Amino acid sequence: MADYVVGDLQGCYNEFITLLELVDFNPSQDHLYLVGDIVARGPDSLSCLHYLYQLQGSTCITLGNHDLHLIATYLTHKTPNPNDKLQDLFASEKLPEYINFLRQQPLAIWLENYNTLISHAGLNPQLNLQQALNFAHQAQACYQSKDASYFLAKMYGNNINCLSQATDELTQFTFTINAFSRMRFVDCNGKMNYKLKGAANQATDGLLPWFNHKPQNHQNINICFGHWAALEGETPYQNLFALDTGCVWGKQMTLLELKTQKKHSCNNFKEQQTNS
Ligand SMILES: [Mn+2]
């Protein structure tokens, strides 16, 4: 019996299955956590979702920005962006079930026995662990409520970048979604910057990676996160595990065994030609 965390799939189904076979993943005994961004940009988002839907008892996803965008697109009856390569998924008669399945997933998971937080983007430095878990739980209630489309239609608030702006239910929702699914760099006050996507050492304008602002917030816990392929799996802290290693951009998919902290990886089968 083993517990694993896998980085962003983004539709890279063949590499995902190869990794599971590599570690002999047995869904009747083992458990798989996913840091989110199951779908979008890669070749087979439909198969990724279908596989996870079938293994519901053995898997748990912390939703990423692409997963939330998919839910929002569906619930607000928008047309998906062709660049996301979700045509097969939107043509599937199972899409309503997949959307319901995704809406049951959390933004964050705390694993007491591994002293480990799992989320798509990490732990916002303006929040301690308990606050973060509370916020994630409250946001989850919003996207699971009958008013989900109201909240999700308004989650794209680039002007909401710090905790002090979270003054009501909607602004707290937007802050929480941004913190858990979009964060990479923050400024010297901990305010999130949504533009910069590069490597940690490419920061400009006084920005710094979220994990370098108040590192005392995470010095006693492990964090598994994805979302930031430009980190190439590296952070300055041995207790922080950056698991998005850019499979969809032609690099690798990474899977971590929680007990041993051993990483396994699978190279992209066919290097992607487009980065659009
Ligand atoms: Mn992401």
Side-chain angles (χ1 to χ4, degrees):
M1 193 180 143
D3 297 310
Y4 303 98
V5 193
V6 67
D8 304 33
L9 306 188
Q10 294 209 247
C12 295
Y13 179 71
N14 291 334
E15 291 84 351
F16 175 44
I17 295 302
T18 300
L19 262 183
L20 294 181
E21 287 173 356
L22 187 71
V23 297
D24 236 344
F25 178 71
N26 179 348
S28 64
Q29 295 178 6
D30 303 332
H31 203 90
L32 177 68
Y33 299 92
L34 297 101
V35 298
D37 279 358
I38 305 308
V39 300
R41 309 290 166 91
D44 201 349
S45 295
L46 174 61
S47 293
C48 289
L49 255 187
H50 183 68
Y51 181 87
L52 295 170
Y53 178 78
Q54 288 184 310
L55 287 190
Q56 288 186 45
S58 319
T59 63
C60 188
I61 304 163
T62 57
L63 297 176
N65 50 306
H66 286 294
D67 310 315
L68 289 156
H69 183 61
L70 167 63
I71 300 170
T73 302
Y74 175 83
L75 290 182
T76 60
H77 311 290
K78 294 263 168 56
T79 304
N81 183 337
N83 290 336
D84 286 343
K85 299 184 185 159
L86 298 175
Q87 290 89 342
D88 291 354
L89 183 56
F90 273 79
S92 167
E93 60 182 22
K94 286 248 186 191
L95 181 61
E97 288 170 64
Y98 297 149
I99 296 291
N100 279 339
F101 163 64
L102 284 177
R103 285 176 66 196
Q104 291 162 26
Q105 308 300 317
L107 287 175
I109 301 169
W110 172 247
L111 298 175
E112 187 75 44
N113 50 338
Y114 293 111
N115 193 39
T116 295
L117 175 72
I118 302 172
S119 80
H120 185 60
L123 175 63
N124 187 288
Q126 298 183 40
L127 302 172
N128 65 37
L129 177 64
Q130 196 53 55
Q131 280 176 309
L133 294 173
N134 289 344
F135 273 40
H137 198 73
Q138 287 168 35
Q140 185 180 344
C142 294
Y143 63 71
Q144 291 178 344
S145 75
K146 62 177 172 41
D147 299 321
S149 58
Y150 162 77
F151 285 102
L152 290 166
K154 302 202 176 193
M155 73 180 171
Y156 305 99
N158 280 355
N159 53 336
I160 305 269
N161 56 18
C162 72
L163 178 60
S164 63
Q165 293 170 295
T167 53
D168 60 22
E169 195 178 29
L170 184 58
T171 48
Q172 183 177 312
F173 179 78
T174 302
F175 170 76
T176 306
I177 293 291
N178 286 337
F180 279 101
S181 77
R182 299 179 65 202
M183 172 182 70
R184 290 187 185 92
F185 288 97
V186 300
D187 71 12
C188 61
N189 298 312
K191 289 184 181 179
M192 291 178 278
N193 173 288
Y194 304 119
K195 286 192 182 141
L196 203 59
K197 293 186 174 185
N201 59 8
Q202 289 172 355
T204 52
D205 302 328
L207 297 175
L208 65 169
W210 63 265
F211 43 73
N212 286 348
H213 187 82
K214 290 196 189 169
Q216 65 270 27
N217 276 14
H218 55 71
Q219 66 182 354
N220 296 320
I221 59 171
N222 302 310
I223 302 178
C224 294
F225 66 101
H227 184 58
W228 198 347
L231 293 179
E232 300 185 332
E234 301 288 334
T235 76
Y237 307 92
Q238 61 178 11
N239 56 323
L240 301 193
F241 298 91
L243 297 179
D244 181 4
T245 43
C247 190
V248 74
W249 308 124
K251 294 186 175 169
Q252 295 178 323
M253 191 179 293
T254 297
L255 178 133
L256 175 79
E257 183 179 352
L258 278 163
K259 189 173 178 186
T260 59
Q261 300 190 341
K262 181 172 163 46
K263 282 181 180 175
H264 305 265
S265 63
C266 175
N267 288 328
N268 183 299
F269 281 5
K270 181 176 175 233
E271 194 169 310
Q272 305 288 308
Q273 296 300 309
T274 59
N275 283 350
S276 60

PDB file of all heavy atoms in Angstrom, residues 43 50 81 119 129 132 176 200 225:
ATOM      1  N   PRO A  43      -2.757  16.528 -25.393  1.00  0.00           N
ATOM      2  CA  PRO A  43      -3.491  15.817 -26.438  1.00  0.00           C
ATOM      3  C   PRO A  43      -4.760  15.089 -25.989  1.00  0.00           C
ATOM      4  O   PRO A  43      -5.633  14.853 -26.811  1.00  0.00           O
ATOM      5  CB  PRO A  43      -2.459  14.811 -26.971  1.00  0.00           C
ATOM      6  CG  PRO A  43      -1.461  14.661 -25.878  1.00  0.00           C
ATOM      7  CD  PRO A  43      -1.423  15.972 -25.156  1.00  0.00           C
ATOM      8  N   HIS A  50     -11.599  10.778 -17.718  1.00  0.00           N
ATOM      9  CA  HIS A  50     -12.342   9.518 -17.670  1.00  0.00           C
ATOM     10  C   HIS A  50     -11.670   8.514 -16.739  1.00  0.00           C
ATOM     11  O   HIS A  50     -12.320   7.855 -15.934  1.00  0.00           O
ATOM     12  CB  HIS A  50     -12.471   8.937 -19.081  1.00  0.00           C
ATOM     13  CG  HIS A  50     -13.281   7.684 -19.116  1.00  0.00           C
ATOM     14  ND1 HIS A  50     -14.632   7.677 -18.857  1.00  0.00           N
ATOM     15  CD2 HIS A  50     -12.932   6.395 -19.321  1.00  0.00           C
ATOM     16  CE1 HIS A  50     -15.082   6.427 -18.933  1.00  0.00           C
ATOM     17  NE2 HIS A  50     -14.062   5.638 -19.203  1.00  0.00           N
ATOM     18  N   ASN A  81     -11.832  27.585 -25.296  1.00  0.00           N
ATOM     19  CA  ASN A  81     -10.747  28.116 -26.123  1.00  0.00           C
ATOM     20  C   ASN A  81     -10.133  26.965 -26.933  1.00  0.00           C
ATOM     21  O   ASN A  81      -9.707  25.968 -26.345  1.00  0.00           O
ATOM     22  CB  ASN A  81      -9.700  28.739 -25.185  1.00  0.00           C
ATOM     23  CG  ASN A  81      -8.568  29.385 -25.946  1.00  0.00           C
ATOM     24  OD1 ASN A  81      -8.290  29.048 -27.103  1.00  0.00           O
ATOM     25  ND2 ASN A  81      -7.902  30.319 -25.293  1.00  0.00           N
ATOM     26  N   SER A 119      -1.658  21.265  -2.805  1.00  0.00           N
ATOM     27  CA  SER A 119      -2.549  22.185  -3.520  1.00  0.00           C
ATOM     28  C   SER A 119      -1.912  22.497  -4.863  1.00  0.00           C
ATOM     29  O   SER A 119      -0.739  22.185  -5.099  1.00  0.00           O
ATOM     30  CB  SER A 119      -2.797  23.469  -2.733  1.00  0.00           C
ATOM     31  OG  SER A 119      -1.722  24.359  -2.873  1.00  0.00           O
ATOM     32  N   LEU A 129      -1.244  27.856   7.846  1.00  0.00           N
ATOM     33  CA  LEU A 129      -1.826  26.611   7.346  1.00  0.00           C
ATOM     34  C   LEU A 129      -3.308  26.493   7.684  1.00  0.00           C
ATOM     35  O   LEU A 129      -4.127  26.155   6.824  1.00  0.00           O
ATOM     36  CB  LEU A 129      -1.050  25.416   7.921  1.00  0.00           C
ATOM     37  CG  LEU A 129      -1.600  24.045   7.543  1.00  0.00           C
ATOM     38  CD1 LEU A 129      -1.500  23.798   6.048  1.00  0.00           C
ATOM     39  CD2 LEU A 129      -0.858  22.954   8.321  1.00  0.00           C
ATOM     40  N   ALA A 132      -5.433  28.844   5.665  1.00  0.00           N
ATOM     41  CA  ALA A 132      -5.475  28.396   4.266  1.00  0.00           C
ATOM     42  C   ALA A 132      -6.484  27.267   4.106  1.00  0.00           C
ATOM     43  O   ALA A 132      -7.290  27.266   3.168  1.00  0.00           O
ATOM     44  CB  ALA A 132      -4.091  27.945   3.810  1.00  0.00           C
ATOM     45  N   THR A 176      -9.115  33.390  -2.715  1.00  0.00           N
ATOM     46  CA  THR A 176      -8.772  31.996  -2.429  1.00  0.00           C
ATOM     47  C   THR A 176      -8.453  31.228  -3.705  1.00  0.00           C
ATOM     48  O   THR A 176      -7.470  30.476  -3.769  1.00  0.00           O
ATOM     49  CB  THR A 176      -9.928  31.315  -1.679  1.00  0.00           C
ATOM     50  OG1 THR A 176     -10.248  32.091  -0.525  1.00  0.00           O
ATOM     51  CG2 THR A 176      -9.559  29.904  -1.257  1.00  0.00           C
ATOM     52  N   ALA A 200      12.402  30.975 -11.051  1.00  0.00           N
ATOM     53  CA  ALA A 200      12.417  31.688  -9.771  1.00  0.00           C
ATOM     54  C   ALA A 200      13.462  32.798  -9.756  1.00  0.00           C
ATOM     55  O   ALA A 200      13.261  33.851  -9.152  1.00  0.00           O
ATOM     56  CB  ALA A 200      12.661  30.694  -8.643  1.00  0.00           C
ATOM     57  N   PHE A 225       3.115  20.801  -4.646  1.00  0.00           N
ATOM     58  CA  PHE A 225       2.360  21.697  -5.511  1.00  0.00           C
ATOM     59  C   PHE A 225       2.797  21.529  -6.964  1.00  0.00           C
ATOM     60  O   PHE A 225       3.815  20.896  -7.248  1.00  0.00           O
ATOM     61  CB  PHE A 225       2.518  23.169  -5.059  1.00  0.00           C
ATOM     62  CG  PHE A 225       3.919  23.719  -5.218  1.00  0.00           C
ATOM     63  CD1 PHE A 225       4.241  24.548  -6.289  1.00  0.00           C
ATOM     64  CD2 PHE A 225       4.921  23.399  -4.311  1.00  0.00           C
ATOM     65  CE1 PHE A 225       5.531  25.055  -6.452  1.00  0.00           C
ATOM     66  CE2 PHE A 225       6.216  23.898  -4.466  1.00  0.00           C
ATOM     67  CZ  PHE A 225       6.515  24.723  -5.537  1.00  0.00           C
TER      68      PHE A 225
END
